[in-house]
Amino acid sequence: MKHLLAASDLTRADIDHLLALTDAFAEVGRRRMPKVPALQGRTVTWLFYEDSTRTRLSFEQAAKRLSADTLSFSVSSSSVRKGESLRDTVQTIEAMGVDAIVVRHASSGVPAQVAQWVSASVVNAGDGWHEHPTQALLDCYTIRSQLGDLDGRHIAIVGDIAHSRVARSDVWAFTLLGAEVTLVAPRTLLPASLEGWPVRVSHDLDAVLGDVDVVYLLRMQRERMREALVPSLREYSSRWGLTRRRVELMDDKAIVMHPGPMNRGVEIAADVADLPRSVVVDQVRNGVAVRMAVLYELLGSGAVVPRPLDREDGV
Ligand code: CP
């Protein structure tokens, strides 16, 4: 694998392989010295044209745990602010000698465009409404860790599907691993066409909740909305927010997920976010191991995958 640009480029075998690698790297993360020399001599940098906490920091943590060198780049304090183009910026960074560039951008397709300009590997860390493939991988890994195989599981993805790159990547990955997906949203927050999406659709959250293994809530992405698509956030919460009353409708073993950042009190009630069945923090934790697996897959040819029996010192 040279680049990771979209979950929809992956086969089931690719995902199974990356999740198996994730298992190995999750074990590294539990060691007293959570570091292996797999990417010594390699350099990873990030090009984030959009804000991020989880994705940006977990890629940095992943690269460091693999012993890669990291080149820190901040768009807000770079020559981008003087008008330097994306292409010039990317080629400038590559000239300094990087092996992988992790890209987030508000426009769909930018990571794929960057991949055509450079010889380094490119990872899509979220592009517009298009895709967020490492989020999908960490979500699959989290569900598998919590519930076992995804085969035959029923997952409801709830909320702002129209503007969600997470929903697009998750639908592809979840269904590839055998889950059934139901999208639950008001009509205004669904894409104009769902042709080719392997999903069912409901507009009634209460009717779906008793029948699902996972409730996956999406953030209301107000920054991507150009018009009022719901009457008010209060109205949205009352019809599509996950409240304590609605949690009572769920199976005892069903879990609650959210990619973050959460709007507490909008798509998820503040107290629901902190329930034991909410695995939001596990998602973040698993994000580091998943991103280690991705960087290793792209850059680690020839390096030995760490095994649980490898020494405590990580060699
Ligand atoms: N889930 C996610 O992409 O979060 P950040 O925007 O904080 O990276």
Side-chain angles (χ1 to χ4, degrees):
M1 197 184 288
K2 170 76 176 169
H3 307 292
L4 177 59
L5 300 175
S8 52
D9 291 339
L10 300 175
T11 62
R12 180 169 183 154
D14 293 330
I15 296 180
D16 283 339
H17 171 65
L18 287 167
L19 297 187
L21 274 179
T22 301
D23 263 336
F25 288 119
E27 189 280 326
V28 170
R30 291 190 289 272
R31 293 180 189 174
R32 186 174 50 79
M33 178 79 86
K35 197 160 176 158
V36 288
L39 296 190
Q40 244 168 15
R42 303 297 195 128
T43 303
V44 180
T45 192
W46 9 88
L47 197 54
F48 274 51
Y49 281 77
E50 256 194 2
D51 295 341
S52 167
T53 300
R54 282 147 282 267
T55 312
R56 165 79 178 72
L57 286 177
S58 61
F59 265 114
E60 184 167 354
Q61 180 76 314
K64 287 178 171 164
R65 285 187 170 178
L66 291 166
S67 305
D69 294 321
T70 57
L71 207 55
S72 196
F73 174 86
S74 163
V75 167
S76 62
S77 58
S78 72
S79 291
V80 170
R81 284 169 57 83
K82 300 177 194 162
E84 189 159 47
S85 72
L86 176 65
R87 184 172 190 157
D88 287 339
T89 302
V90 165
Q91 289 178 337
T92 299
I93 289 171
E94 190 178 43
M96 295 179 202
V98 297
D99 300 289
I101 306 176
V102 181
V103 182
R104 171 171 286 193
H105 203 284
S107 296
S108 301
V110 165
Q113 175 65 74
V114 170
Q116 290 180 6
W117 288 333
V118 297
S119 57
S121 289
V122 175
V123 184
N124 180 0
D127 60 332
W129 305 357
H130 174 227
E131 280 238 27
H132 194 348
T134 57
Q135 180 71 46
L137 291 169
L138 76 88
D139 289 337
C140 290
Y141 187 80
T142 303
I143 295 171
R144 224 185 55 178
S145 309
Q146 295 287 330
L147 303 175
D149 259 357
L150 274 77
D151 249 325
R153 296 289 181 186
H154 185 191
I155 301 171
I157 301 180
V158 184
D160 184 3
I161 315 284
H163 303 96
S164 176
R165 54 197 176 210
V166 172
R168 284 168 180 77
S169 292
D170 273 353
V171 164
W172 180 262
F174 292 166
T175 53
L176 210 53
L177 295 187
E180 281 178 38
V181 175
T182 300
L183 304 180
V184 187
R187 288 178 207 284
T188 50
L189 293 181
L190 286 169
S193 167
L194 284 170
E195 202 180 320
W197 290 54
V199 295
R200 287 181 282 176
V201 174
S202 170
H203 307 296
D204 184 349
L205 180 57
D206 286 5
V208 169
L209 284 174
D211 183 39
V212 295
D213 301 291
V214 180
V215 178
Y216 195 103
L217 302 162
L218 296 171
R219 184 170 68 86
M220 281 291 280
Q221 301 200 29
R222 283 169 281 180
E223 75 276 18
R224 296 195 205 284
M225 295 180 189
R226 292 186 190 87
E227 55 194 310
L229 297 175
V230 291
S232 69
L233 289 181
R234 182 185 295 219
E235 169 92 359
Y236 177 84
S237 296
S238 77
R239 293 196 59 189
W240 289 283
L242 190 65
T243 57
R244 272 310 268 268
R245 179 188 69 76
R246 290 200 167 108
V247 168
E248 300 302 320
L249 302 175
M250 294 169 60
D251 184 85
D252 285 347
K253 294 197 177 70
I255 58 172
V256 175
M257 300 178 72
H258 192 302
M262 294 184 278
N263 292 310
R264 287 178 186 245
V266 180
E267 66 268 1
I268 185 166
D271 54 350
V272 171
D274 298 324
L275 289 174
R277 69 166 79 219
S278 161
V279 297
V280 176
V281 176
D282 302 81
Q283 289 172 264
V284 175
R285 186 177 303 111
N286 292 335
V288 176
V290 158
R291 287 163 179 137
M292 287 173 81
V294 168
L295 292 175
Y296 176 84
E297 179 65 20
L298 298 181
L299 302 181
S301 68
V304 176
V305 184
R307 289 173 296 112
L309 294 181
D310 285 351
R311 291 203 329 254
E312 248 299 283
D313 58 8
V315 176

